[in-house]
Coordinates of all heavy atoms in Angstrom, one line a residue:
H215 N 0.8 -1.2 0.0 CA 0.0 0.0 0.0 C 0.9 1.3 0.0 O 0.6 2.2 -0.7 CB -0.9 0.0 1.3 CG -2.1 -0.8 1.2 ND1 -2.0 -2.2 1.4 CD2 -3.4 -0.6 1.0 CE1 -3.2 -2.7 1.3 NE2 -4.1 -1.7 1.1
R216 N 1.9 1.2 0.8 CA 2.7 2.4 1.0 C 3.8 2.6 -0.1 O 4.1 3.7 -0.5 CB 3.4 2.3 2.3 CG 4.0 3.6 2.8 CD 4.7 3.5 4.1 NE 5.8 2.6 3.9 CZ 6.4 1.9 4.9 NH1 6.0 2.0 6.1 NH2 7.4 1.1 4.6
T217 N 4.3 1.5 -0.7 CA 5.4 1.6 -1.6 C 5.0 1.5 -3.1 O 5.6 2.2 -3.9 CB 6.4 0.5 -1.4 OG1 5.8 -0.7 -1.5 CG2 7.0 0.7 0.0
K218 N 4.0 0.7 -3.4 CA 3.6 0.5 -4.8 C 2.1 0.3 -5.0 O 1.6 -0.7 -5.6 CB 4.3 -0.8 -5.4 CG 5.8 -0.7 -5.4 CD 6.5 -2.0 -5.8 CE 8.0 -1.9 -5.7 NZ 8.4 -2.1 -4.3
P219 N 1.3 1.3 -4.6 CA -0.1 1.1 -4.6 C -0.7 1.0 -6.0 O -1.6 0.2 -6.2 CB -0.7 2.4 -3.9 CG 0.4 3.4 -4.1 CD 1.7 2.6 -4.0
Q220 N -0.1 1.6 -7.0 CA -0.7 1.5 -8.4 C -0.4 0.2 -9.0 O -1.2 -0.3 -9.8 CB -0.1 2.6 -9.3 CG -0.8 4.0 -9.1 CD -2.3 3.9 -9.2 OE1 -3.0 4.0 -8.3 NE2 -2.8 3.6 -10.4
T221 N 0.7 -0.5 -8.6 CA 1.0 -1.8 -9.2 C -0.1 -2.8 -8.7 O -0.7 -3.5 -9.6 CB 2.4 -2.3 -8.7 OG1 3.3 -1.3 -9.1 CG2 2.7 -3.7 -9.2
A222 N -0.4 -2.8 -7.5 CA -1.5 -3.6 -7.0 C -2.8 -3.2 -7.5 O -3.7 -4.0 -7.9 CB -1.5 -3.6 -5.5
A223 N -3.1 -1.9 -7.6 CA -4.4 -1.4 -8.0 C -4.8 -1.8 -9.4 O -5.9 -2.1 -9.7 CB -4.4 0.1 -7.9
V224 N -3.8 -1.8 -10.3 CA -4.1 -2.2 -11.7 C -4.6 -3.7 -11.8 O -5.7 -3.9 -12.4 CB -2.8 -2.1 -12.6 CG1 -3.1 -2.7 -14.0 CG2 -2.5 -0.6 -12.8
G225 N -3.9 -4.6 -11.1 CA -4.4 -6.0 -11.1 C -5.7 -6.2 -10.4 O -6.6 -6.9 -10.8
L226 N -5.9 -5.4 -9.2 CA -7.1 -5.6 -8.5 C -8.3 -5.0 -9.1 O -9.4 -5.5 -9.0 CB -6.9 -5.0 -7.1 CG -5.8 -5.6 -6.2 CD1 -5.6 -4.9 -4.9 CD2 -6.1 -7.1 -6.0
T227 N -8.1 -3.9 -9.9 CA -9.2 -3.3 -10.6 C -9.6 -4.2 -11.8 O -10.7 -4.1 -12.3 CB -8.7 -1.9 -11.1 OG1 -8.4 -1.1 -10.0 CG2 -9.8 -1.2 -11.9
D228 N -8.7 -5.0 -12.3 CA -9.0 -5.9 -13.5 C -9.6 -7.2 -13.1 O -10.1 -7.9 -14.0 CB -7.7 -6.0 -14.3 CG -7.9 -6.6 -15.6 OD1 -8.8 -6.1 -16.3 OD2 -7.3 -7.6 -16.0
S229 N -9.5 -7.6 -11.8 CA -9.9 -9.0 -11.5 C -10.8 -9.0 -10.2 O -10.3 -8.7 -9.1 CB -8.6 -9.8 -11.2 OG -9.0 -11.0 -10.6
P230 N -12.0 -9.3 -10.4 CA -12.9 -9.3 -9.2 C -12.5 -10.4 -8.2 O -12.5 -10.2 -7.0 CB -14.3 -9.6 -9.7 CG -14.1 -10.1 -11.1 CD -12.8 -9.6 -11.6
A231 N -11.9 -11.5 -8.7 CA -11.4 -12.6 -7.8 C -10.2 -12.1 -7.0 O -10.1 -12.3 -5.8 CB -11.1 -13.9 -8.6
G232 N -9.3 -11.4 -7.7 CA -8.1 -10.9 -7.1 C -8.5 -9.8 -6.1 O -7.9 -9.8 -5.0
L233 N -9.4 -8.9 -6.4 CA -9.9 -7.9 -5.5 C -10.5 -8.5 -4.2 O -10.2 -8.1 -3.1 CB -10.9 -7.0 -6.2 CG -11.5 -5.9 -5.3 CD1 -10.4 -4.9 -4.8 CD2 -12.6 -5.2 -6.0
A234 N -11.3 -9.5 -4.4 CA -11.9 -10.2 -3.3 C -10.9 -10.9 -2.4 O -10.9 -10.7 -1.2 CB -12.9 -11.3 -3.8
A235 N -9.9 -11.5 -3.0 CA -8.8 -12.2 -2.2 C -8.1 -11.1 -1.4 O -7.7 -11.3 -0.3 CB -7.9 -13.0 -3.1
W236 N -7.7 -10.0 -2.1 CA -7.0 -8.9 -1.4 C -7.7 -8.4 -0.2 O -7.2 -8.3 0.9 CB -6.7 -7.8 -2.4 CG -5.9 -6.7 -1.9 CD1 -6.3 -5.6 -1.3 CD2 -4.4 -6.6 -1.9 NE1 -5.3 -4.8 -0.9 CE2 -4.1 -5.4 -1.3 CE3 -3.4 -7.4 -2.4 CZ2 -2.8 -4.9 -1.2 CZ3 -2.1 -7.0 -2.2 CH2 -1.8 -5.7 -1.6
I237 N -9.0 -8.1 -0.4 CA -9.8 -7.5 0.6 C -10.0 -8.4 1.8 O -9.9 -8.1 3.0 CB -11.1 -6.9 0.1 CG1 -10.8 -5.7 -0.8 CG2 -12.1 -6.6 1.2 CD1 -12.0 -5.1 -1.5
V238 N -10.3 -9.7 1.5 CA -10.5 -10.7 2.5 C -9.3 -10.9 3.4 O -9.3 -10.9 4.6 CB -11.0 -12.0 1.9 CG1 -11.0 -13.1 3.0 CG2 -12.5 -11.9 1.4
E239 N -8.1 -10.9 2.7 CA -6.9 -11.1 3.4 C -6.6 -9.9 4.4 O -6.2 -10.1 5.5 CB -5.7 -11.2 2.5 CG -4.4 -11.5 3.1 CD -3.6 -10.3 3.6 OE1 -3.7 -9.2 3.0 OE2 -3.0 -10.4 4.7
K240 N -6.9 -8.7 3.9 CA -6.7 -7.5 4.8 C -7.8 -7.5 5.9 O -7.4 -7.2 7.1 CB -6.9 -6.2 4.0 CG -5.8 -6.0 2.9 CD -4.4 -6.0 3.5 CE -3.4 -6.0 2.4 NZ -2.5 -7.1 2.4
M241 N -9.0 -7.9 5.6 CA -10.0 -7.9 6.7 C -9.6 -9.0 7.8 O -9.9 -8.7 9.0 CB -11.4 -8.3 6.1 CG -12.0 -7.2 5.3 SD -13.5 -7.6 4.4 CE -14.6 -7.5 5.8

């Protein structure tokens, strides 16, 4: 989040499964 937010954001914006996995892990 702090060092490369756009790198992660591109992939997460393109993949609902990736976004769900990311958010669930953070939760």
Side-chain angles (χ1 to χ4, degrees):
H215 282 77
R216 196 181 64 202
T217 59
K218 299 173 184 79
Q220 278 309 110
T221 303
V224 170
L226 298 176
T227 300
D228 193 49
S229 168
L233 178 65
W236 182 270
I237 289 175
V238 168
E239 186 276 325
K240 297 301 174 238
M241 290 175 76

